[in-house]
Amino acid sequence: MPQDIEGAVQISTDAAPERSERCRIRVRGVVQGVGFRPFVFRLAQQLDLAGWVRNDGEGVEMEVQGAPGNLSALMARLTKEVPPQARIDAIEREACPSQAQDRGFTIRPSEGGAVTTAIGHDSTVCPDCLDELFDPANRRWRYALINCTHCGPRYTLTGRLPYDRANTSMAGFAQCETCQDEYEAPTHRRFHAEPNACPDCGPQLSLLQADGVRVASHDPVADALLHLLTGHIVAIKGVGGFNLVCDARNPEAVERLRSRKARGDKPFAVMVASVASARSYARVSAEEAELLDAPERPIVLLDKHSDADMHLWGVAPDLDQIGIMLPNSPLHYLLFHDEAGRPIGTDWLDEAQPMALVMTSANPGGEPLVIDNDEALSRLSGIAELYLMHDRDVLVRCDDSVARLSQGAPSFIRRARGYTPTAIRLAHKGPPTLAFGSYLKNTVCLTRGDEAFLSPHVGDLSNPATCTAMDATVEHLMTVLACRPEWVACDRHPDVYATQAAHRYADAHDLPLIAVQHHHAHIGAVLAEHGVDEPVLGLALDGVGLGNDGTAWGGELLRVDGAQCDRLGHLQPLALPGGDRAAREPWRMAASALHVMGLSEHIAERFGHLRGADRIGALLDAGTRCPPTTSMGRWFDAAAGLLGVCDVMHYEGEAAMRLESLANAYGPALALPGGWQIDRANTLDLMPTLHALRDTRDAHRGAAVFHATLIAALEAWVIATARSEGLRTVALGGGCFLNRLLTEGLSRRLSVRGLTVLRARQAPTNDGGLALGQAWVAIQTAMA
C-alpha cells in the first residue's frame, strides 16, 4: 500500500506572475495527520501560488512561489485558518531562488530525516463524519470506524513518524478504489487521512461470547446493545483500549461489575449521548459543557443532581460528584443511536437521551489497560460476558483522561487519551531528558528541545504487568519522538520499580542520572508548565514521598530555585500505627491523633469493632511499627476517622473525597479560633482542630469546619513564610490539591493577600505529573 502520493498532485496556473518571489517555509508543531498539507494546497490554489509541500521528520516543509503580496497572505492565513486539530508552534521563512518553469503546486511524498515533529492526539468524531454516520444514503452509514483528517485516532494507532499509513495499524488494510480516490484528492477532507476506510475495505466489527466463540450477528452493535439493556457486562474496544461497560441504570449490573473487578466503592465513570443527556444527572455550566464536548472527550467531574443516585444507584456512592463523558468514538455513538431508534441526522443529540453506560477501564486487578483482542479474551475472562471488538490494532494503550473545571479552567486528575502526546512547552531548550515518574499513577516524560512529552497514564507499579507496560511506554515514547535522552531522572525512593528502571537505563547507556526528591518534583512540575525560573515558595501536600531525611514527607513548605530545594517548614508529624496499613485505614490515623491528645483509652471504645483496636494504644506507647509522617493526606484520614466518615478505605483517597463531599454539602463554615499552631521551627500543627472534632456528632459540619480551618491555617503559614523569605510567588503541588474546596479556597485567599499563585493545569497535580517535574529539575541541573 502506498505511503503517499506516488505521482505529484499538481494544479496549473495560466501564466507566471509579472513579479515572482520564492521562499521556503518550515512549519513545526502538530501538523501531520490533521489535514495540514491539503490545507496548504487549497491556500495555494486560492492565492495562485506555485511550489510544493511535504511531510518530513520536522513537520511540514514547503516551497512557494508567486506575487509578494500573495506570499504574505499565505503566511498570515497559515496561522489564522489552521485546521481544527493542528497546532502551530513555529513558522520559519527564508528566501530561495525563483524557478521560472514552476507553474503548479505539488504535494510531494514524505521525507525522512531527524524527527522533531509530533503526532496528533486522538479526537472524537467530527460533525461532518457524524452527518455521514447517521445518513442512510451515505456509504459509511453506521460504519463504526469512520474518520477523516479532522477526527479519529492518531497517537494510539501510530508506530513511528512520519505519520503515514504504512507506519500505523492501518497498514494492512488496502483501500478500495473509492477510498483511494478520496485519499488522493487534495480537495477532499479525507486527503491523506491515514486511517481512511469504509465498510468495503476497512476494519470490521465482531461480537464474541464469553468463551471467545464468535456470534453469528448481522449487526454486532444492535446485539451488544440488547445484552447491555438486559443487564450484561460487555467489553468494548475503544480508541485507546478496551472498556468494561454495563447499563448504569441497572444497580444489579453495576454491583456485579464492581464485584468482578474488585473495585470496592471506587466511583465509576458514566458515558451519555450528549451534553443534554449529561444535564439529566448533573449540573453542567457553559464552561463544563465546552469541556465535555471538546474533541479530546475527557471524563469530566460534575456536581450531581440531588436525585442522581436514584437513577444511577451505586455508580458513585457517597460522593457529591460524578464523572461523565460523551462518546469518543463512532462505535460508542452507534450504541446510543440504536437505543434512540436510529434517527436520521444529528438533531436527536440535542435532546436528552435516557441511556447511561458505566464506562470503566478494562484493567483487572490494577493491571495495565487491555488493548489486544486475544488479550481481552484471556485477561477479562470472568468479568465480561460479551466482547464487542474490531480488527484495527491499538498500538499504544491510552486510558480515558479525567478532568474538572476549577476557577474557570480545566485541571487534570488523569492526563491520557486526547491530550497525549501534546507537548508541554518549556521556558528554555535543554538536553533531552527521560524521567521515570514514581510508584503511584505512573507516567514517564521525555523532553526534546523546549518541549516536554508526558506519556499517557500507566498506573500504579504494583504488579509485574504494569511495570512491563511502563518499560514499553518508555520505548514507544522514544521511538515515536525519534529522541534518545542525554540525562535520566527519577524519584529518590530506591524500592520503587520506576527508580530501579531509571538506574538500569542510565547505567546501560552511560548517562548521568538525577534522583529528585518527591516534593521538589511536584513543585517543579508546576514551574515547568508555567515557565517560571525564579525562586518560589512551594507548598507540597500529598499522601507520601520519601524525604531527604529518610522519613515519609507529605506536608512541606519548600523554597525552590531551579535545581535547588530547601525545606522551610512542614506539618507536625503523625505516627503511622501499623506502618503502610495506616494509610489505608483512617481509623488508625484517628487513633494516632487520640494518642497525641492523651486519650488512648478512647481508642478501643470508639473503634473496638475493628480488628487490632485493642492493641493500637500499646503499639503507639512503645513506638513499635509507628513511623512518623508529615503527610497532609494522613491528617485528612485522621479527621475522617474521628468524624466516623470512613474507617477503612477501599480505594486511594476515599476518606478525603468523602470528607470533601460532606463539607461541600454543608456549605461555608468558619475556621476554628486557635485551630492550629505554628512553632519557631515553622512546623504547622493542626491537632487543636482534631481535638475539637473528636466529639462532633454532625459529620457534615465537622467536615466543613475542618476544611475552613485547614485553609486558614495554610494561609497563615504560607503568608508568614513568604514574607520572611521575600518571595511573592507560591506554587501549589501534590495530590491533596485535587480537593477543590482546599485548592480554590486557598488560592483565592493567597491571591487577595498579594501572592501570585501557580497551580497545575496541563499536567495532573498528583503523582501523574511527577515525571514532568523530575525532568524539569534534571534540565535545571544540567544547565546550571
Side-chain angles (χ1 to χ4, degrees):
M1 164 159 271
Q3 295 185 29
D4 217 310
I5 300 176
E6 297 295 331
V9 180
Q10 182 166 327
I11 57 172
S12 297
T13 56
D14 295 333
E18 293 182 5
R19 177 171 169 248
S20 182
E21 294 181 358
R22 190 179 185 91
C23 65
R24 181 177 291 110
I25 300 173
R26 154 74 57 204
V27 185
R28 304 181 191 275
V30 180
V31 290
Q32 294 189 14
V34 291
F36 201 86
R37 287 173 299 167
F39 162 64
V40 172
F41 187 96
R42 289 190 292 272
L43 289 182
Q45 285 183 310
Q46 296 167 16
L47 296 171
D48 195 24
L49 297 174
W52 52 264
V53 64
R54 68 184 175 195
N55 281 346
D56 66 8
E58 297 182 59
V60 168
E61 182 186 27
M62 68 189 84
E63 286 191 10
V64 287
Q65 182 171 305
N70 289 359
L71 291 177
S72 297
L74 173 68
M75 292 294 293
R77 294 177 67 180
L78 280 175
T79 54
K80 290 182 179 178
E81 302 174 20
V82 64
Q85 299 307 312
R87 189 194 77 235
I88 294 178
D89 293 333
I91 299 181
E92 303 159 10
R93 174 181 174 177
E94 62 176 325
C96 54
S98 294
Q99 300 179 15
Q101 74 280 8
D102 202 344
R103 291 291 188 273
F105 196 86
T106 64
I107 298 178
R108 292 185 174 181
S110 297
E111 286 276 312
V115 176
T116 59
T117 189
I119 192 62
H121 58 264
D122 304 318
S123 61
T124 193
V125 195
C126 71
D128 289 332
C129 283
L130 277 182
D131 287 339
E132 294 177 349
L133 188 66
F134 302 135
D135 179 3
N138 191 279
R139 72 190 190 95
R140 290 188 176 88
W141 180 64
R142 292 184 57 79
Y143 179 52
L145 289 100
I146 191 171
N147 68 88
C148 70
T149 54
H150 299 149
C151 68
R154 297 290 186 271
Y155 179 65
T156 52
L157 55 69
T158 302
R160 62 186 183 277
L161 289 177
Y163 177 67
D164 290 325
R165 193 174 178 106
N167 295 333
T168 73
S169 58
M170 289 297 293
F173 295 93
Q175 296 181 86
C176 66
E177 184 176 350
T178 305
C179 284
Q180 192 71 34
D181 287 344
E182 295 171 341
Y183 183 84
E184 295 179 354
T187 56
H188 201 283
R189 83 174 196 279
R190 290 193 170 90
F191 176 72
H192 280 255
E194 306 303 351
N196 187 39
C198 74
D200 294 331
C201 65
Q204 301 296 314
L205 291 180
S206 57
L207 191 66
L208 281 69
Q209 297 174 169
D211 58 5
V213 174
R214 186 164 182 154
V215 177
S217 172
H218 294 295
D219 193 330
V221 174
D223 289 343
L225 177 64
L226 179 61
H227 281 270
L228 285 169
L229 296 179
T230 52
H232 291 91
I233 299 168
V234 182
I236 298 178
K237 191 175 187 179
V239 172
F242 277 82
N243 291 105
L244 291 165
V245 185
C246 73
D247 187 348
R249 302 163 298 174
N250 184 329
E252 291 82 4
V254 172
E255 181 54 36
R256 195 165 68 255
L257 176 55
R258 187 178 293 284
S259 174
R260 290 183 180 181
K261 204 182 172 190
R263 194 177 173 87
D265 291 332
K266 189 174 182 180
F268 284 123
V270 171
M271 179 179 284
V272 296
S274 61
V275 171
S277 304
R279 289 196 166 105
S280 299
Y281 305 108
R283 292 187 289 277
V284 185
S285 68
E287 294 83 2
E288 288 167 332
E290 185 177 353
L291 183 59
L292 265 177
D293 205 27
E296 295 81 7
R297 286 295 199 268
I299 297 168
V300 181
L301 296 186
L302 301 169
D303 291 333
K304 288 179 183 175
H305 286 318
S306 58
D307 62 348
D309 288 334
M310 293 174 57
H311 303 289
L312 305 177
W313 184 262
V315 169
D318 300 313
L319 299 176
D320 64 336
Q321 290 199 314
I322 186 170
I324 293 182
M325 65 193 303
L326 304 191
N328 59 66
S329 78
L331 177 54
H332 295 132
Y333 268 111
L334 290 179
L335 291 167
F336 290 97
H337 187 237
D338 246 11
E339 205 272 342
R342 299 191 178 184
I344 297 173
T346 59
D347 289 348
W348 62 281
L349 290 170
D350 295 330
E351 303 173 0
Q353 302 299 318
M355 188 167 73
L357 299 173
V358 164
M359 192 74 54
T360 189
S361 307
N363 56 337
E367 295 181 357
L369 180 68
V370 174
I371 61 174
D372 179 76
N373 290 355
D374 291 338
E375 178 191 20
L377 293 172
S378 60
R379 288 181 57 202
L380 301 180
S381 176
I383 303 177
E385 296 158 340
L386 206 70
Y387 299 84
L388 178 60
M389 57 179 64
H390 54 76
D391 52 351
R392 183 182 70 199
D393 289 339
V394 176
L395 299 185
V396 187
R397 58 174 45 86
C398 209
D399 218 326
D400 298 316
S401 294
V402 184
R404 67 160 27 129
L405 207 71
S406 178
Q407 293 182 314
S411 60
F412 287 104
I413 290 90
R414 183 170 70 200
R415 186 179 189 266
R417 180 188 49 74
Y419 296 94
T420 54
T422 303
I424 296 172
R425 182 71 61 181
L426 304 176
H428 308 290
K429 291 184 178 180
T433 300
L434 176 63
F436 280 74
S438 191
Y439 174 73
L440 294 174
K441 300 173 179 62
N442 178 266
T443 62
V444 297
C445 181
L446 181 62
T447 70
R448 192 181 63 187
D450 60 352
E451 295 178 310
F453 297 89
L454 201 59
S455 79
H457 171 82
V458 176
D460 298 349
L461 302 180
S462 57
N463 57 74
T466 309
C467 294
T468 300
M470 188 205 75
D471 293 336
T473 300
V474 169
E475 287 299 323
H476 181 266
L477 204 56
M478 291 189 293
T479 299
V480 80
L481 295 175
C483 178
R484 292 285 161 173
E486 296 175 7
W487 287 72
V488 178
C490 65
D491 193 78
R492 283 191 174 176
H493 202 302
D495 298 332
V496 172
Y497 178 82
T499 301
Q500 297 165 356
H503 279 271
R504 285 195 299 271
Y505 187 91
D507 290 344
H509 298 86
D510 195 24
L511 297 175
L513 181 143
I514 302 295
V516 183
Q517 198 279 321
H518 191 92
H519 302 95
H520 187 186
H522 270 311
I523 303 304
V526 178
L527 302 183
E529 69 164 274
H530 287 278
V532 174
D533 288 331
E534 64 188 42
V536 305
L537 181 63
L539 177 60
L541 306 177
D542 67 357
V544 67
L546 182 65
N548 293 339
D549 59 2
T551 64
W553 290 6
E556 314 303 319
L557 267 183
L558 308 171
R559 180 187 175 93
V560 176
D561 186 3
Q564 183 65 32
C565 178
D566 299 307
R567 192 188 198 194
L568 303 178
H570 56 79
L571 292 179
Q572 177 67 34
L574 282 175
L576 291 165
D580 289 343
R581 188 170 178 179
R584 301 185 297 272
E585 300 181 7
W587 76 268
R588 290 175 177 264
M589 296 312 304
S592 181
L594 289 171
H595 180 263
V596 173
M597 298 174 201
L599 300 173
S600 295
E601 68 275 10
H602 290 216
I603 296 174
E605 176 186 326
R606 297 188 64 157
F607 303 111
H609 60 289
L610 295 165
R611 184 178 177 182
D614 57 336
R615 299 188 299 274
I616 287 291
L619 201 67
L620 287 161
D621 286 338
T624 307
R625 294 183 60 240
C626 295
T629 180
T630 59
S631 166
M632 182 72 251
R634 302 294 77 80
W635 282 90
F636 270 97
D637 292 348
L642 288 171
L643 290 170
V645 171
C646 181
D647 289 335
V648 177
M649 291 193 287
H650 299 94
Y651 58 90
E652 187 196 359
E654 179 182 4
M657 291 168 66
R658 289 191 179 189
L659 208 62
E660 181 187 4
S661 293
L662 292 172
N664 215 23
Y666 184 84
L670 295 176
L672 285 171
W676 68 91
Q677 297 171 348
I678 302 173
D679 66 17
R680 291 183 178 180
N682 209 23
T683 301
L684 174 62
D685 187 359
L686 299 167
M687 194 56 67
T689 297
L690 296 190
H691 203 291
L693 294 181
R694 68 184 177 86
D695 292 324
T696 300
R697 296 287 180 260
D698 184 346
H700 287 78
R701 180 181 178 277
V705 168
F706 175 77
H707 279 81
T709 308
L710 174 61
I711 291 168
L714 292 173
E715 177 195 9
W717 195 35
V718 168
I719 291 295
T721 308
R723 286 175 178 169
S724 67
E725 293 291 320
L727 299 173
R728 303 299 303 167
T729 301
V730 59
L732 310 180
C736 289
F737 287 110
L738 293 176
N739 184 308
R740 187 173 50 174
L741 284 177
L742 169 62
T743 306
E744 294 183 359
L746 183 59
S747 296
R748 281 193 298 267
R749 294 178 72 146
L750 294 177
S751 297
V752 167
R753 300 292 295 274
L755 290 182
T756 298
V757 181
L758 304 179
R759 296 168 48 195
R761 292 296 190 186
Q762 298 181 66
T765 192
N766 58 26
D767 284 7
L770 271 180
L772 172 63
Q774 292 168 355
W776 182 83
V777 173
I779 290 172
Q780 298 291 317
T781 303
M783 301 294 288

